[in-house]
Amino acid sequence: MSKRQSAKYKIDRRMGENIWGRPKSPINSRAYGPGQHGQRRKSKVSDFGLQLRAKQKLKGYYGNLTEKQFSRTYEEAARRKGNTSENLIGLLEARLDAVVYRAKFVPTVFAARQFVNHGHVLVNGKRVNIASYRVKVGDVVTVRERSRNMALVLEALQSSERDTPDYIELDPKAMTAKFVRVPEFSEVPYPVKMEPNLVIEFYAS
């Protein structure tokens, strides 16, 4: 489990964007960076700076992954056939914690990681407690019977804050989510603009 080096709202403020689209984000009221220099006029960002920012934003979105985890995911995306940007997004969306988050079993991607780590999730009927576990097409992710009445789960499922995407087949009553297909980048419901092409340029340069 990667350590949360900074709170999720700190990531929002550092990026200057509400990257999860949450109503409580401080960006909704203070659209500038944290700290005493947060309101200084921004200088023109270099190409490298834009690439780094795109990487930090995507890495932060999936629960502030460690650099090692994220670069390994990039390396696998680059090894695979096809478009590396699409491969990268597909691999990130196939993470078990990402599927749990997309299925709305929990309110945040940080909560999803903790939820998986604490053993509340089954994949095809077997308990899996590794957040980075890669879900395959056709796999069914289920909330364990004894975890279904947790306030966290019930509130998340009833929330209208976000919708479940088409590549996740959700049965809210049974609390199961089937990973129907690996999504294309255009299908992933990011609340802000993500630029995986710049992430690829960052690692390729």
Side-chain angles (χ1 to χ4, degrees):
M1 177 178 177
S2 75
K3 291 177 183 174
R4 276 181 59 184
Q5 301 293 347
S6 53
K8 54 186 177 291
Y9 294 144
K10 206 180 250 185
I11 297 170
D12 271 2
R13 293 203 49 211
R14 196 168 67 230
M15 293 294 133
E17 291 181 79
N18 182 357
I19 68 172
W20 295 281
R22 304 211 73 205
K24 291 180 183 174
S25 173
I27 288 302
N28 297 337
S29 56
R30 289 178 295 180
Y32 51 83
Q36 60 178 343
H37 305 298
Q39 295 186 66
R40 285 203 302 206
R41 185 179 295 172
K42 293 186 174 106
S43 55
K44 192 173 186 300
V45 184
S46 66
D47 286 349
F48 174 79
L50 290 170
Q51 292 162 3
L52 177 62
R53 180 185 164 80
K55 180 192 71 121
Q56 298 294 68
K57 188 159 63 166
L58 193 62
K59 186 160 76 90
Y61 181 87
Y62 287 95
N64 211 19
L65 303 180
T66 64
E67 182 56 39
K68 191 175 181 182
Q69 283 178 315
F70 197 73
S71 60
R72 272 187 188 160
T73 307
Y74 159 74
E75 285 163 11
E76 182 163 348
R79 278 198 304 270
R80 293 189 171 197
K81 290 181 181 177
N83 184 299
T84 306
S85 293
E86 292 284 352
N87 291 346
L88 177 63
I89 297 301
L91 287 169
L92 289 168
E93 283 293 304
R95 285 176 58 96
L96 180 55
D97 54 359
V99 174
V100 167
Y101 174 63
R102 292 287 179 225
K104 291 177 64 175
F105 293 149
V106 289
T108 69
V109 73
F110 294 99
R113 182 182 301 166
Q114 199 170 35
F115 195 68
V116 173
N117 287 339
H118 288 181
H120 298 298
V121 173
L122 307 174
V123 179
N124 300 330
K126 292 181 181 175
R127 192 169 72 139
V128 178
N129 60 2
I130 300 164
S132 60
Y133 176 89
R134 188 157 306 136
V135 177
K136 298 180 186 70
V137 172
D139 281 356
V140 176
V141 177
T142 310
V143 176
R144 287 184 79 182
E145 191 89 42
R146 65 190 177 102
S147 309
R148 293 180 186 183
N149 290 321
M150 290 173 67
L152 177 90
V153 176
L154 298 174
E155 284 170 24
L157 281 168
Q158 289 163 13
S159 169
S160 58
E161 203 174 283
R162 56 195 170 89
D163 296 321
T164 306
D166 291 343
Y167 50 91
I168 304 283
E169 196 176 275
L170 179 67
D171 182 342
K173 283 187 179 175
M175 292 196 188
T176 64
K178 185 177 180 181
F179 192 57
V180 179
R181 65 177 183 279
V182 177
E184 293 181 6
F185 171 51
S186 59
E187 293 181 278
V188 182
Y190 295 117
V192 295
K193 185 182 179 185
M194 292 293 181
E195 297 167 297
N197 56 309
L198 293 182
V199 179
I200 304 309
E201 286 175 19
F202 173 87
Y203 283 112
S205 60

